[in-house]
Amino acid sequence: MIQARRDGRELALRALYQADVGKQPLDEVLEGVCEQVLQSLAQPIGQASMEGSASLKRTALARTENLSVNSKRQIKTIATLSATVLRHLSTEVRGAIKTALVAQNEAPRVELQSRLNSLHAEFEHEISKLQARQSYHPDILKVLADIAHEKAILIQADCAKLLPLALETSTFMTMLIQGTLSHRRELDLKIAPLSEGWQLDRQAAVDRNIMRIAAFEILFVDDIPLAASINEAVELAKKYSTAESGKFVNGILGSIGRAHTPKNSSKSGEANG
């Protein structure tokens, strides 16, 4: 959860910066940052597909070296078709995950696992059809099918390992973006009086959006301790702005937190968010 929230804050900052400075529409901003979340999955999925295609080609060449022209042609065709089916699986899996990440409601996310299972079932069906083709060399067709199956299983394993974090990151990130934008006027009214000598529109865009995100957490998100919201905001300021910005952000958010949070509130808990 901590890593998902940390990644979510960083992506939310990028999105809000684009909306603030670049005046991009919300749907474009969300799609862009969800694409970044998707990259954590797209790279290993794409790698498995490319490795599978290369392995199918190498195997077909090696196994047909001493075969007739017709046999070579058939086996190379099966290898090419198997690689196409594997690439299709990779593309469709990434597309299904992106749809779930960008979704503004829960339905696509609830349906995601069913969709992924369906895509793998379709893959298995297509590869089985290729393996079942009439041939003088069914042993070679089986080897090709096994290679394709192995890479499909790897794609499945990558999804099982990485998808939960991606979905959690996307959910938290989207909540921060939408919440910060919908409460922006109220947040600015809290921040502005504390920014002595620095009007919001004259502050660095990175700094003011970091403070907006953290102020939204402090004022509207009950399950994140105050210390976590402030500490993460300070770290973002140090990373994307300056050390002085970190001190500035810390001072303003500390004042907002003290004004908003009763001493015995859960908001004053340890930094674990």
Side-chain angles (χ1 to χ4, degrees):
M1 177 180 286
I2 292 175
Q3 189 59 49
R5 288 185 169 182
R6 186 162 290 155
D7 293 344
R9 287 184 183 97
E10 193 161 335
L11 290 165
L13 174 60
R14 295 180 192 177
L16 291 169
Y17 181 90
Q18 291 168 357
D20 187 8
V21 177
K23 308 302 180 187
Q24 286 184 259
L26 177 59
D27 57 345
E28 290 182 13
V29 166
L30 282 172
E31 184 171 357
V33 288
C34 284
E35 188 71 45
Q36 293 178 55
V37 176
L38 179 63
Q39 289 309 308
S40 64
L41 277 157
Q43 186 173 356
I45 290 172
Q47 185 69 24
S49 174
M50 287 189 294
E51 289 175 355
S53 296
S55 181
L56 286 163
K57 182 178 179 179
R58 287 195 305 270
T59 301
L61 285 172
R63 294 293 183 112
T64 59
E65 187 175 357
N66 298 316
L67 301 184
S68 67
V69 172
N70 286 339
S71 292
K72 284 183 179 181
R73 184 181 298 115
Q74 184 203 40
I75 290 169
K76 288 179 181 178
T77 297
I78 298 296
T80 299
L81 291 174
S82 297
T84 300
V85 173
L86 186 60
R87 284 195 299 270
H88 178 75
L89 172 65
S90 171
T91 300
E92 290 297 310
V93 165
R94 284 180 287 181
I97 294 171
K98 182 176 180 179
T99 297
L101 292 176
V102 177
Q104 299 300 300
N105 57 67
E106 284 300 307
R109 296 190 178 191
V110 172
E111 297 165 2
L112 177 58
Q113 192 55 57
S114 175
R115 174 62 178 151
L116 293 178
N117 291 341
S118 176
L119 288 171
H120 281 279
E122 291 171 14
F123 167 84
E124 296 288 345
H125 178 66
E126 291 301 317
I127 291 298
S128 294
K129 282 169 55 179
L130 291 174
Q131 184 183 348
R133 288 195 178 186
Q134 187 173 5
S135 172
Y136 289 113
H137 306 282
D139 55 325
I140 299 178
L141 298 193
K142 183 180 184 307
V143 169
L144 296 176
D146 287 344
I147 291 170
H149 284 306
E150 177 188 344
K151 296 305 178 182
I153 290 170
L154 185 56
I155 290 172
Q156 214 164 17
D158 286 332
C159 286
K161 179 182 177 181
L162 300 172
L163 187 55
L165 178 62
L167 289 171
E168 191 175 348
T169 298
S170 178
T171 298
F172 185 67
M173 171 195 74
T174 302
M175 182 270 291
L176 289 181
I177 294 169
Q178 293 177 330
T180 300
L181 288 176
S182 64
H183 293 282
R184 177 170 159 173
R185 186 172 184 278
E186 184 177 351
L187 299 174
D188 286 356
L189 287 173
K190 294 284 187 181
I191 296 168
L194 301 169
S195 307
E196 296 179 7
W198 288 94
Q199 294 180 353
L200 273 176
D201 61 356
R202 298 191 64 187
Q203 293 174 13
V206 172
D207 293 354
R208 67 172 173 261
N209 283 294
I210 288 172
M211 289 189 289
R212 284 168 176 162
I213 292 169
F216 169 72
E217 289 186 27
I218 292 168
L219 298 174
F220 297 101
V221 186
D222 292 334
D223 69 335
I224 301 178
L226 173 63
S229 297
I230 295 176
N231 290 346
E232 292 296 326
V234 170
E235 291 304 312
L236 282 174
K238 289 178 180 178
K239 182 174 182 178
Y240 289 104
S241 192
T242 66
E244 289 302 314
S245 291
K247 295 176 184 177
F248 178 66
V249 165
N250 184 64
I252 289 178
L253 295 177
S255 296
I256 292 174
R258 285 189 296 274
H260 175 72
T261 311
K263 288 184 179 179
N264 295 327
S265 168
S266 62
K267 268 288 186 183
S268 60
E270 295 180 1
N272 60 2

